[in-house]
Amino acid sequence: MGLPVRDVAGILADNLRLRGSVLPIPARRATAWARGLGIPRGGETVLYTGSMYQLIPYIERLVRLEQRLGNGRLAALTGLARRANRLVNGVSLVARPSAAERREYDRIPANVARLLQRAGVEFGYLYEDDLYSGALAHDLGADAEVAVHAQRVVAAFRKHGVRRVITIDPHTTNMLRSVYPGLVPGYDVRAQSYLEVLAERGPGGTVSGVDEGDGHPAVVAASSPTSETSAARPGRPPGLRVVIHDSCVYARYENVIDAPRRLLGAAGITALEPEQSRTRTWCCGGPAEALFPQTAAAVATQRVAQLQAVAPEGVTMCPICLVNLRKAADGRLHLRDISDYLVSAVAPESGGVAP
Amino acid sequence: MTTAVSAPTERAEQVGEGRVGTVPRAAGAAVLSPWLDRLLARMGPFDADACMSCGICTATCPLGIDVLPRRVLRYAALGLGDQVRAAGDTIFSCLLCRACEVSCPAGVHITEDIRLLRRWLLQEGW
């Protein structure tokens, strides 16, 4: 049994309209990852997180609550919850992750910032103006709310003089690159995933061959680690092999397929392909999590089996994939975000976690 | 007996042992109307009518639900609003993963069509 779609979609749309995010979290929490990194405020090029990774510990808490209450009891409360949520931010009341849980996901935007800094990319950050992109509300068909919200995001870009954004997750990349041009007249902000930016430069500024023209990487064969690149990278045992899970949105919406493979290869890591990969990748189930958690779990379990058949360690590049597959793997498959692998290969002293 | 493929009305008049006349339609068929298809097309690039009903989308769907997306798109294209409403849970369970879309031989923008159906359902107060 799923949750009442209309009420859940209504809560998310209400939150977007009233509080600027489907799951509003305090700005001090959303920006905590940037402390101590010396990233300037604003600028022509900014790193844009859309709070996606920072939201994950809150989503995990909500999912646990859902499991504790059971769908039936929760479904009975959803209509009431929608009415109450218009007055009080429900997320702040029921989802309170610990500092350790927040740090686990705050580490990822920090990884990305360090990788870009190391590659010589100059960028700023919008701090409290780094707004959620509206991706989930767009998926649910709440188009009117998303159109208004997109204007808010673009106003923040204009306020800070932003011309180019570097995104860190596929959903924000898709919204800012492919959806916003249809929502905001005159939208001219160039959006690129950090994976594409780094693949142009390489973790040490060496990888090239990516087509800059449309922001998509050129189609090239996936890099395999050579003895030269493996030996050149500090902090990682040479010959690490991980199974790669393509995000549906990166692979099938945004054609971000070769960039992560090139980066892993250049870092001395062999990316192994599961039964279904690249444009044939298998969904993590995450998009169904908010409304149909059992469906999401079933799809994720199938994907974990496909990945587990290839290697005991896997790499993801989307926060939704990471949290949903980790939950389904239940420790049987060791999953990490690609930025963890990349940062520990090129700058292990910077906080990358060696699995 | 006529074998040529022609428009539905003409075909209804021609079939049946060489006689020219009107063949009664199946119950309900006469009320089919593409009103929903036209409404959705005004909301966005809704192109479900390009679906050839080949079934590849259903075969590649990670959810493996029979009704998704082929039958849902057919309901919409034919204006069967009640059937679309009845499939509301299924429409909202779609992952929008595009596994179907990359295999569609007719190039139907299936995920955008599903998204527009969601928008319509929410507007309808479904």
Side-chain angles (χ1 to χ4, degrees):
Chain A
M1 179 188 168
L3 295 174
V5 171
R6 190 178 164 201
D7 285 327
V8 174
I11 289 172
L12 299 174
D14 288 347
N15 277 341
L16 188 66
R17 190 178 66 250
L18 298 170
R19 303 181 182 104
S21 173
V22 289
L23 294 176
I25 60 174
R28 71 177 190 285
R29 298 281 192 224
T31 60
W33 67 270
R35 275 183 214 137
L37 291 175
I39 307 173
R41 180 177 293 270
E44 198 164 295
T45 299
V46 293
L47 179 61
Y48 203 80
T49 74
S51 290
M52 286 292 285
Y53 279 96
Q54 301 93 305
L55 280 173
I56 294 300
Y58 295 84
I59 292 173
E60 283 184 324
R61 282 287 176 138
L62 289 172
V63 169
R64 265 184 261 165
L65 176 71
E66 191 174 315
Q67 286 168 340
R68 219 172 41 240
L69 288 176
N71 271 359
R73 285 172 63 196
L74 203 57
L77 294 171
T78 312
L80 179 65
R82 183 179 181 189
R83 289 192 292 279
N85 185 68
R86 285 182 181 146
L87 304 173
V88 182
N89 176 10
V91 175
S92 66
L93 292 178
V94 298
R96 292 168 178 265
S98 68
E101 287 169 331
R102 291 197 307 269
R103 273 198 303 273
E104 170 66 13
Y105 292 96
D106 279 355
R107 190 181 68 249
I108 292 164
N111 284 345
V112 175
R114 289 192 178 100
L115 288 164
L116 291 168
Q117 286 170 335
R118 194 178 171 91
V121 179
E122 289 186 11
F123 62 92
Y125 176 48
L126 298 184
Y127 293 86
E128 68 280 1
D129 283 338
D130 178 291
L131 305 174
Y132 176 67
S133 70
L136 180 56
H138 179 257
D139 284 355
L140 290 173
D143 289 13
E145 288 82 357
V146 174
V148 171
H149 183 70
Q151 301 280 357
R152 214 179 294 165
V153 173
V154 172
F157 289 160
R158 289 181 181 146
K159 175 181 152 191
H160 292 280
V162 175
R163 302 297 308 275
R164 177 186 181 217
V165 293
I166 301 173
T167 52
I168 71 171
D169 76 274
H171 297 271
T172 306
T173 308
N174 173 246
M175 290 297 288
L176 297 186
R177 181 148 82 192
S178 302
V179 177
Y180 275 33
L183 298 177
V184 183
Y187 181 80
D188 61 352
V189 175
R190 184 181 184 213
Q192 261 187 309
S193 159
Y194 81 95
L195 296 170
E196 294 169 301
V197 173
L198 289 177
E200 288 170 3
R201 295 175 177 244
T206 54
V207 177
S208 60
V210 173
D211 177 15
E212 279 244 4
D214 59 1
H216 291 154
V219 177
V220 292
S223 302
S224 58
T226 61
S227 55
E228 190 184 357
T229 54
S230 298
R233 302 298 172 201
R236 296 292 308 184
L240 181 66
R241 294 155 67 84
V242 298
V243 60
I244 188 166
H245 168 73
D246 287 291
S247 135
C248 296
V249 176
Y250 265 157
R252 287 194 279 258
Y253 284 64
E254 296 298 330
N255 193 29
V256 178
I257 296 172
D258 290 308
R261 287 164 171 79
R262 288 166 62 83
L263 293 170
L264 288 167
I269 298 164
T270 302
L272 302 168
E273 304 289 341
E275 184 186 326
Q276 288 182 268
S277 71
R278 305 175 72 94
T279 57
R280 304 283 169 192
T281 189
W282 188 263
C283 185
C284 70
E289 180 70 45
L291 298 172
F292 302 95
Q294 287 95 336
T295 303
V299 175
T301 301
Q302 285 176 289
R303 183 54 167 171
V304 165
Q306 288 180 5
L307 299 173
Q308 215 181 348
V310 177
E313 199 170 317
V315 58
T316 62
M317 51 199 93
C318 164
I320 307 294
C321 296
L322 181 60
V323 69
N324 220 49
L325 293 175
R326 264 185 180 169
K327 192 158 51 117
D330 197 23
R332 289 173 286 120
L333 174 71
H334 195 63
L335 287 156
R336 290 213 169 268
D337 185 80
I338 188 169
S339 70
D340 273 339
Y341 288 107
L342 298 178
V343 87
S344 60
V346 300
E349 74 284 358
S350 299
V353 175
Chain B
M1 181 172 155
T2 303
T3 54
V5 175
S6 51
T9 308
E10 191 184 343
R11 195 163 61 236
E13 289 174 353
Q14 290 177 344
V15 294
E17 297 187 28
R19 286 181 290 113
V20 175
T22 301
V23 175
R25 289 172 182 269
V31 302
L32 294 187
S33 151
W35 66 273
L36 182 54
D37 184 75
R38 284 199 298 265
L39 176 70
L40 289 160
R42 281 202 295 275
M43 290 164 63
F46 190 76
D47 62 355
D49 57 356
C51 171
M52 310 184 297
S53 218
C54 68
I56 287 176
C57 55
T58 304
T60 54
C61 177
L63 299 181
I65 301 170
D66 180 46
V67 74
L68 195 70
R70 177 173 55 153
R71 275 168 51 190
V72 163
L73 295 188
R74 186 61 61 205
Y75 292 152
L78 294 174
L80 297 168
D82 287 345
Q83 279 88 333
V84 173
R85 287 185 199 94
D89 267 357
T90 306
I91 290 168
F92 276 95
S93 71
C94 170
L95 301 160
L96 302 183
C97 73
R98 283 197 181 171
C100 54
E101 199 168 310
V102 295
S103 302
C104 176
V108 178
H109 297 93
I110 300 169
T111 48
E112 184 59 14
D113 289 352
I114 295 286
R115 235 185 44 73
L116 289 169
L117 284 169
R118 290 177 175 182
R119 185 176 155 190
W120 177 71
L121 286 167
L122 290 177
Q123 283 180 1
E124 281 270 290
W126 168 81

